Amino acid sequence: MVVAGLMAALCGCSGPLSTLDPSGPSAASIALLWWVMLAGAGVLFALVLTLFLLVVLRPGWGSRLPSSRWIVLGGLALPAVILLPLICYGLLAGERLLPLPGHSPPRIEAVARQWVWTFRYPDRGNVATTNVLHLPAGTPVDIDVSSEDVIHAFWVPRLAGKIDAVPGQVNHLRIQADTPGRYEGQCNEFCGVGHARMHFVVIVDRPADYPAALAAAAATTKAEP
Amino acid sequence: MSASVEQPPQGAPALRLHRQLVKIWATGPGWQRLAAVNHSVIGLRMVITSFVFFAIGGILGMLTRVQLATPNGDFMDAETYNQVFTMHGSMMLFLFAIPMVESFAVYLTPKILGTRDFAFPRLTAYGYWCYLLGGTILTVSLIARVAPDSGWFMYTPLSSNVYTPGVNADVWLLGVTFVEISALSLAMEIVVSVLKMRAPGMSLDRMPIFGWYILVTAMMMIVAFPPLILGSILLEIERAFGLPFFDPTRGGSALLWQHLFWLFGHPDVYIIFLPMAGALSTMIPVFANRPLVGYRAIVVAIIALAFLSFGIWVHHMFTVGIPHLALAFFSAGSAIVAVPTAVQFFAWLATLAHGKPRWDLPMLYIFGFFFVFTAGGLTGVMLAIVPFDWQAHDTYFIVAHMHYVVAGALAFPMMAGFYYWLPLLTGRTAAYRLAVPAFWLIFIGFNLTFFMMHLTGLLGMPRRVFTYNGDEGWDWLNLLSSVGSFVMTIGFGMAVIDIIVQLRFGRRVRRNPWNATTLEWAMPMPPAPYAFASIPRLGPGKEQAAPGQLALSLARGEGYLGFARNGWQETLGVHMTSGEPDQVIVLPQPTYLPLVTALFTGAAVLAMLFKLYLLSLAMALVTIGLFVLAGQRAGLGRDYGPLPIGHGASVPPHTEVASAPPWLALICVLVADGTLFTSLVFGTFYLWIAAPHWPANLAPEASRVLALGVIVALVIAAVAARGSLRATSAGARAQGWIGLAVIALLAAIAAAVGLIGSVTPHPHQHALGATAAALIGFVALHAGIGLLFLISNLLRIHAGFISPRRLTDLRLSRLWLDYTTVTGIIALGLVLALPALVATLGARP
Amino acid sequence: MNGRAVPPRRLWLLAAGFLVWCSALVVLYALHAIGCAFGWQAGALRWSLAIVLFVHLIVIAWMWRHLATARPEPKLGQAAVFLQTVVVWTLIAALVATVITFAPSLVLKTCI
């Protein structure tokens, strides 16, 4: 988390939709994964290119190593050493981000249709907001994502990865925002001419302020037909 | 192009042989060019056509870059942008990438393997015309502003008639399917040709590595295309006739389309990569001045790659809500698919390390390939990791990755290949002062354009948006990408100019300018229509005459078939593993039939597009009739027995042997068709387990009596086909048996049609009925095609093409009817099992 | 001449190892989907996945053992030796791929 934040600050990677500027445990875990993989990829890339240039520009440079050794070391040993730990790390990290049972956080329904997001809060008297999602800070929330027409995708890059809104099924995404504030979300699956403008806003309130803020937002939604 | 043939260098025998063979093999002048069936002619046309579509697709890509260069760009509106990016993707993949790699295969494979042409020249021509016509339909739709606009991936339900009511999506479904027919027919022909048509003595272990790459790629195409063809057919049926397969409100599943699409889409990346890797594996040893290191390791690697690439399609679907454990299979698979690629990379590096590398133009592009493809491969491994993909999926990070992989895999080796093989075609070399700067512009422009997109994506820019606000931090990155795309385009422009200059003014080079060891250099430059005046034999040892010397001896007719006989276009067929000659293959002459057949196929597609279904059906029937007609002229009208082929050897013609090319071709067809059928069966199970609104309130039902009737009729037909084969080989009349089979098939079709009518719920109502109808329709269609086989048999028995020694036709019919019976039993069994399957759904929690 | 060549039928062996891998993918994926849809108990689902995986591993291992010990007939020449080597290595590759690809089914949470 700290590392990820530091890296984001260093590279100027902040932005309202930046995955490298995380503000929740899920996005932070993935950002860390990215920086680790970037470092590894950088080393490998340099290695392959250096080898290529050396063998071409310095004939005879690599000929002491038998050719079968080249293939076994580079083609089998090298990938094995890197890929196996990476796969394990990726799968375990992925599992920790899942909406695991046993711990049942508040639920919010996110319903997509061309090109509007409607959010319903069953735990809060089933009020609804349009294109604005209210979340309490510092606590996980499960978003039940579905669609009324074509496929969309629910994505708040600074908080978590995305999940598709598929008609006829409900997908679940566990999301948590660490600090109160305003975040941006967007549809991330091509859904027709309005796709580019299918944004929504995520307002994260302090837990104490959350009920009031949500009620106020729901009231304005009702005012708009 | 075929008329301008270089004079063979050696005196009278060579010149005389050249004249005789040209008379037999050459494509005629003027309008007769439309009748060309020669692989050199068609291959060259395909290269040029696919390059033209590359240019169009490139311009479309440039248009998107113009629109996105600045925030809130008003160069295009959303409707236009959606058509442009959809067509950019569709053209680059279906009209450029696949045909381009196929054109390399068509032009080079017979030459590298030391044979005169492909096994089915008329099919090559038909494939080309289908490709050209399908591509033209798509291009015209763009000009008419009714181009597909649902993305090149056509996700349902956005592409269904509810959300895309116009003709746009139909253009994609029909146009692309049309082009795929061509890809599939070429793939079958490549498999048969690589296995059966090589230089004598070229056993599998001595086949140039390019042959292995092309063989494996073609087999992948045979298995990869059918799922998408099935998906396109089902979606078109849903759009045109209202049968639900993907409509979630009527028991279909939106995700079924994604599974079918990516089951094709992912292997497709490797279908593009492998032939180019084959070109690299051919070029790198030449520039390293030593044989390729790790031949066997590479063969193992490409087989592994071919299979693994089929098992990772779900990595395009990590965010659709599949349980994590199932994603894990595909995540691990996507990571380890890097291993076979690494094996090839290090085999190439070892080849260079152990050789004496020299720089030349192709090596420059090979460097570009190493740079770009390594980067693309590494981001590919990142995307295989599920949580990272949850963030990066459908952002510009994917755009960057995909262009690094596809362009790295295709564009750079393709350019290397152009510069490497163009001297074969032109006898000239490139203008380095133009070619080298062109490379650097392409290389720098490419990296500027696409490297930036990694960061754009991580900053959250989704794909397929026609504009953005400007406060996201994406604007400078997008501007740089757009500038880069212009630099890259200038580079490609210069490369094209360079190639044109080379054709006219390039410096003349001697034969085999690169000191290669493969056989395509052992022929006149440019290649004659007959390719080899006589067919070389590979000696027993590793050593082999240099192609330059070999060329002279072959031109004098010192190899096999160094003569003209009966005006036949002859080449040798060999035993699949040992490479010993086992038949003389007599190829068909140039004919307009492929063009005419393709035109009628195109007419059927167009009529379908304009919703003139009866006309479309009529055109399809004419097309089928033309195929039967084409069959009438195939083969030889009498028994010949063993024919001398030179060097004291004699082998029978292909009509009188068991392992003739048509037999292998039918096996390929059945593998493709079997994949389609398997996809349909799995689609049915997928809907059962995963689609919403199952179980329906309506109990499914189909008449058991009719189903049983279909099966019995199919079994009778299959038995009768066996009878006809046995009767003919015993010298008796077979017409009675064939007549019985015809009657049985007609009965099967009638019963199947009745069965479709009796299906409940009605196919319009629910996916249950629709899939049942599709399964039964599959059986009826195959019975119908079986009828065509039998009609062709009757006609050809009458015309004297079938004898106790020439039994291929009857064996083909028998195999087809066996296949129809087996799939029929499975399909109807599944239809009858549907009620029980639906009943079990009640047990779900 | 055909008597002294590797029968073309044997070319299918090149695909044998990975066909088993494909079969494992299809069966495991389908079994998992069915188990989750019908709400099988986690333990039962896990065991059935494990059994399917091990059956596939045993099949590949058996083919490997069977083919690796068979000496290619010398009269069939270099092509036979080549095919033998390539087939054995595809089997090894398929075995490793099967372990890596499907081992997660033994560890991860079943239906989330």
Side-chain angles (χ1 to χ4, degrees):
Chain A
M1 180 79 204
V2 179
V3 179
L6 197 66
M7 295 299 282
L10 282 179
C11 81
C13 298
S14 57
L17 291 161
S18 174
T19 62
L20 304 180
D21 186 8
S23 190
S26 178
S29 153
I30 299 174
L32 178 64
L33 175 65
W34 152 253
W35 292 114
V36 171
M37 289 197 298
L38 177 66
V43 172
L44 284 176
F45 182 76
L47 176 73
V48 171
L49 263 288
T50 311
L51 285 176
F52 179 81
L53 291 175
L54 277 174
V55 296
V56 174
L57 299 177
R58 299 243 177 106
W61 173 82
S63 57
R64 263 173 305 163
L65 194 64
S67 47
S68 59
R69 201 70 65 78
W70 270 93
I71 296 178
V72 171
L73 287 180
L76 298 176
L78 183 68
V81 170
I82 290 163
L83 291 178
L84 291 178
L86 182 62
I87 294 171
C88 296
Y89 174 48
L91 291 178
L92 295 177
E95 188 153 291
R96 289 179 53 195
L97 303 182
L98 296 174
L100 299 174
H103 165 64
S104 51
R107 309 189 85 84
I108 297 175
E109 291 171 8
V111 181
R113 77 183 133 86
Q114 286 180 328
W115 293 278
V116 182
W117 289 97
T118 306
F119 301 102
R120 273 195 211 93
Y121 305 80
D123 303 338
R124 299 273 162 193
N126 217 19
V127 295
T129 55
T130 305
N131 287 341
V132 180
L133 170 63
H134 277 262
L135 293 178
T139 175
V141 175
D142 277 2
I143 313 280
D144 299 345
V145 183
S146 62
S147 166
E148 289 179 355
D149 41 37
V150 302
I151 300 176
H152 305 267
F154 173 94
W155 191 31
V156 187
R158 293 190 58 201
L159 299 185
K162 60 188 66 82
I163 191 98
D164 287 359
V166 182
Q169 76 182 53
V170 180
N171 287 333
H172 309 284
L173 181 72
R174 184 157 296 173
I175 197 165
Q176 178 181 337
D178 289 331
T179 41
R182 183 190 157 94
Y183 299 88
E184 287 186 28
Q186 57 188 344
C187 171
N188 192 66
E189 179 66 67
F190 180 64
C191 55
V193 287
H195 172 53
R197 304 282 190 210
M198 195 169 160
H199 298 284
F200 59 95
V201 174
V202 182
I203 310 265
V204 178
D205 307 294
R206 272 193 296 265
D209 305 341
Y210 178 64
L214 177 59
T220 52
T221 298
K222 266 188 203 127
E224 297 162 15
Chain B
M1 53 210 88
S2 49
S4 64
V5 170
E6 180 190 289
Q7 296 289 309
Q10 292 300 301
L15 194 59
R16 194 168 60 238
L17 180 58
H18 169 73
R19 286 195 183 129
Q20 287 171 337
L21 288 174
V22 163
K23 214 158 92 187
I24 296 173
W25 287 82
T27 305
W31 286 106
Q32 290 178 44
R33 285 167 205 271
L34 296 178
V37 294
N38 190 282
H39 78 278
S40 290
V41 179
I42 306 275
L44 203 55
R45 285 180 190 171
M46 272 186 90
V47 174
I48 294 168
T49 313
S50 52
F51 206 83
V52 169
F53 283 120
F54 175 54
I56 300 175
I59 290 168
L60 294 173
M62 299 287 296
L63 294 179
T64 66
R65 282 322 317 163
V66 172
Q67 166 69 14
L68 293 175
T70 52
N72 299 309
D74 53 4
F75 177 68
M76 277 187 273
D77 56 11
E79 284 88 354
T80 317
Y81 185 86
N82 291 351
Q83 292 192 12
V84 166
F85 88 76
T86 300
M87 286 300 288
H88 169 69
S90 306
M91 278 204 161
M92 284 299 194
L93 263 301
F94 293 107
L95 302 184
F96 163 60
I98 298 166
M100 179 56 84
V101 299
E102 282 188 323
S103 68
F104 266 76
V106 169
Y107 189 84
L108 290 173
T109 312
K111 299 185 176 73
I112 290 181
L113 298 185
T115 185
R116 282 172 169 169
D117 205 332
F118 267 143
F120 308 103
R122 295 181 297 179
L123 195 62
T124 324
Y126 175 71
Y128 172 73
W129 293 119
C130 283
Y131 159 51
L132 182 67
L133 291 171
T136 310
I137 291 175
L138 284 164
T139 312
V140 169
S141 79
L142 191 65
I143 298 165
R145 300 181 72 85
V146 291
D149 56 0
S150 324
W152 85 280
F153 44 91
M154 289 287 288
Y155 276 7
T156 53
L158 181 62
S159 57
S160 69
N161 49 359
V162 180
Y163 301 101
T164 306
V167 78
N168 310 47
D170 301 307
V171 171
W172 191 96
L173 292 169
L174 295 167
V176 166
T177 305
F178 195 17
V179 173
E180 278 162 7
I181 295 173
S182 112
L184 207 49
S185 55
L186 284 173
M188 289 167 198
E189 128 148 300
I190 289 170
V191 171
V192 175
S193 303
V194 173
L195 285 175
K196 282 306 291 183
M197 298 168 76
R198 305 193 297 265
M202 191 185 277
S203 51
L204 279 182
D205 55 314
R206 304 185 63 199
M207 180 160 75
I209 194 74
F210 187 78
W212 276 104
Y213 276 103
I214 292 295
L215 175 66
V216 172
T217 311
M219 287 180 163
M220 286 176 71
M221 293 172 85
I222 286 177
V223 184
F225 279 102
L228 180 58
I229 292 179
L230 174 73
S232 300
I233 292 172
L234 295 184
L235 183 53
E236 187 55 33
I237 290 176
E238 178 176 310
R239 287 181 58 88
F241 306 115
L243 272 63
F245 297 99
F246 308 105
D247 177 359
T249 61
R250 286 183 290 164
S253 163
L255 295 182
L256 174 60
W257 169 264
Q258 295 192 19
H259 281 289
L260 292 174
F261 184 84
W262 290 116
L263 199 47
F264 148 81
H266 198 77
D268 185 44
V269 175
Y270 293 90
I271 288 171
I272 293 164
F273 171 58
L274 279 181
M276 290 297 136
L280 291 169
S281 289
T282 309
M283 289 185 276
I284 287 174
V286 172
F287 289 99
N289 284 314
R290 63 151 291 142
L292 181 66
V293 163
Y295 180 91
R296 283 173 301 181
I298 289 185
V299 173
V300 174
I302 51 188
I303 291 171
L305 199 58
F307 278 96
L308 290 175
S309 73
F310 278 91
I312 57 185
W313 79 92
V314 170
H315 77 206
H316 298 265
M317 303 169 65
F318 279 170
T319 64
V320 303
I322 295 171
H324 187 243
L325 188 148
L327 297 183
F329 301 159
F330 298 93
S331 168
S334 310
I336 60 170
V337 80
V339 176
T341 315
V343 167
Q344 291 174 71
F345 259 67
F346 280 85
W348 295 330
L349 286 174
T351 308
L352 290 166
H354 284 260
K356 296 184 197 63
R358 61 190 148 117
W359 272 110
D360 213 310
L361 260 179
M363 272 304 274
L364 205 51
Y365 278 100
I366 290 172
F367 161 73
F369 163 81
F370 265 83
F371 187 97
V372 170
F373 195 74
T374 307
L378 289 168
T379 51
V381 171
M382 294 180 185
L383 290 168
I385 305 305
V386 178
F388 180 65
D389 187 79
W390 285 339
Q391 280 287 27
H393 177 71
D394 265 344
T395 67
Y396 265 77
F397 191 91
I398 306 287
V399 181
H401 159 70
M402 188 197 79
H403 282 88
Y404 266 79
V405 176
V406 178
L410 178 58
F412 285 92
M414 170 190 88
M415 293 302 290
F418 277 167
Y419 280 113
Y420 179 76
W421 276 296
L422 265 175
L424 176 65
L425 207 71
T426 60
R428 296 168 191 270
T429 180
Y432 286 69
R433 260 180 290 176
L434 208 52
V436 175
F439 165 77
W440 286 109
L441 285 179
I442 294 174
F443 180 74
I444 293 168
F446 177 87
N447 283 297
L448 188 59
T449 310
F450 296 112
F451 192 77
M452 294 302 144
M453 290 183 185
H454 291 110
L455 188 54
T456 324
L458 291 172
L459 293 185
M461 180 158 169
R463 302 173 75 174
R464 300 150 191 157
V465 290
F466 82 105
T467 191
Y468 51 99
N469 289 327
D471 57 359
E472 303 94 335
W474 305 336
D475 33 4
W476 64 281
L477 294 164
N478 273 304
L479 186 62
L480 279 180
S481 286
S482 296
V483 171
S485 72
F486 277 86
V487 175
M488 176 168 54
T489 310
I490 295 170
F492 272 113
M494 276 174 73
V496 171
I497 294 172
D498 174 51
I499 287 170
I500 293 170
V501 168
Q502 173 181 353
L503 295 177
R504 296 291 311 219
F505 307 107
R507 188 166 49 84
R508 283 207 169 269
V509 290
R510 65 191 164 79
R511 194 194 296 276
N512 193 8
W514 310 109
N515 277 328
T517 53
T518 38
L519 288 171
E520 79 272 27
W521 300 101
M523 57 174 64
M525 298 200 314
Y530 52 77
F532 296 94
S534 59
I535 295 174
R537 175 171 190 98
L538 267 63
K542 287 262 179 213
E543 72 288 341
Q544 183 197 319
Q549 290 166 300
L550 188 61
L552 304 183
S553 133
L554 293 180
R556 288 193 294 265
E558 288 164 10
Y560 288 100
L561 294 178
F563 47 76
R565 166 164 52 201
N566 301 347
W568 286 350
Q569 295 187 183
E570 289 177 305
T571 189
L572 283 181
V574 297
H575 185 265
M576 280 191 241
T577 54
S578 71
E580 289 308 320
D582 65 4
Q583 56 193 293
V584 171
I585 295 177
V586 183
L587 297 172
Q589 306 280 348
T591 159
Y592 294 104
L593 203 58
L595 174 62
V596 176
T597 315
L599 283 173
F600 276 101
T601 320
V605 170
L606 278 177
M608 186 84 189
L609 206 52
F610 289 105
K611 308 207 185 310
L612 306 169
Y613 299 124
L614 280 178
L615 182 65
S616 175
L617 186 66
M619 291 296 142
L621 288 175
V622 174
T623 307
I624 291 164
L626 288 169
F627 269 106
V628 176
L629 181 68
Q632 294 315 298
R633 303 195 204 157
L636 300 170
R638 67 176 179 85
D639 295 341
Y640 284 88
L643 298 162
I645 55 172
H647 294 263
S650 291
V651 289
H654 71 276
T655 46
E656 296 169 35
V657 293
S659 63
W663 175 254
L664 290 171
L666 186 62
I667 291 175
C668 291
V669 172
L670 293 185
V671 171
D673 196 274
T675 313
L676 189 129
F677 178 68
T678 313
S679 306
L680 183 60
V681 170
F682 273 89
T684 311
F685 279 111
Y686 182 81
L687 290 177
W688 166 67
I689 196 86
H693 302 295
W694 284 52
N697 301 327
L698 327 124
E701 209 183 297
S703 157
R704 277 188 206 173
V705 179
L706 282 174
L708 215 61
V710 176
I711 292 173
V712 169
L714 288 177
V715 172
I716 292 174
V719 171
R722 288 192 144 62
S724 76
L725 189 59
R726 199 159 302 152
T728 310
S729 52
R733 284 174 58 86
Q735 278 91 333
W737 285 110
I738 296 178
L740 176 62
V742 168
I743 292 166
L745 283 184
L746 285 173
I749 294 171
V753 171
L755 194 56
I756 293 178
S758 79
V759 165
T760 54
H762 192 275
H764 280 137
Q765 224 174 345
H766 192 273
L768 256 173
T771 41
L775 284 163
I776 304 165
F778 180 93
V779 180
L781 181 70
H782 283 70
I785 298 172
L787 274 182
L788 296 175
F789 273 83
L790 297 174
I791 292 168
S792 174
N793 289 350
L794 285 174
L795 291 170
R796 281 169 64 82
I797 289 174
H798 184 71
F801 281 98
I802 294 174
S803 78
R805 268 159 69 180
R806 286 170 286 133
L807 288 169
T808 307
D809 285 74
L810 299 176
R811 292 172 62 226
L812 297 183
S813 303
R814 185 194 63 188
L815 184 57
W816 181 268
L817 291 176
D818 285 353
Y819 172 82
T820 306
T821 309
V822 172
T823 51
I825 290 170
I826 297 172
L828 294 170
L830 184 54
V831 169
L832 291 179
L834 274 177
L837 279 174
V838 171
T840 61
L841 287 176
R844 283 189 303 193
Chain C
M1 119 189 78
N2 288 359
R4 297 192 51 224
V6 183
R9 240 175 304 118
R10 260 187 233 175
L11 290 178
W12 290 106
L13 288 177
L14 290 172
F18 277 98
L19 281 176
V20 179
W21 174 84
C22 286
S23 155
L25 176 71
V26 170
V27 177
L28 287 171
Y29 190 52
L31 189 66
H32 177 253
I34 290 172
C36 289
F38 286 94
W40 294 358
Q41 291 202 323
L45 180 56
R46 176 88 67 207
W47 274 106
S48 39
L49 291 173
I51 291 167
V52 168
L53 174 55
F54 283 118
V55 167
H56 281 92
L57 288 176
I58 288 166
V59 170
I60 303 183
W62 175 82
M63 286 199 295
W64 177 18
R65 209 188 69 119
H66 186 74
L67 284 160
T69 50
R71 291 254 139 258
E73 299 158 62
K75 66 173 177 150
L76 297 183
Q78 278 303 305
V81 180
F82 165 79
L83 271 180
Q84 163 102 359
T85 317
V86 172
V87 168
V88 167
W89 278 100
T90 55
L91 286 171
I92 296 171
L95 187 66
V96 177
T98 311
V99 171
I100 297 177
T101 329
F102 307 116
S105 64
L106 305 178
V107 199
L108 297 178
K109 299 257 186 321
T110 41
C111 289
I112 296 288

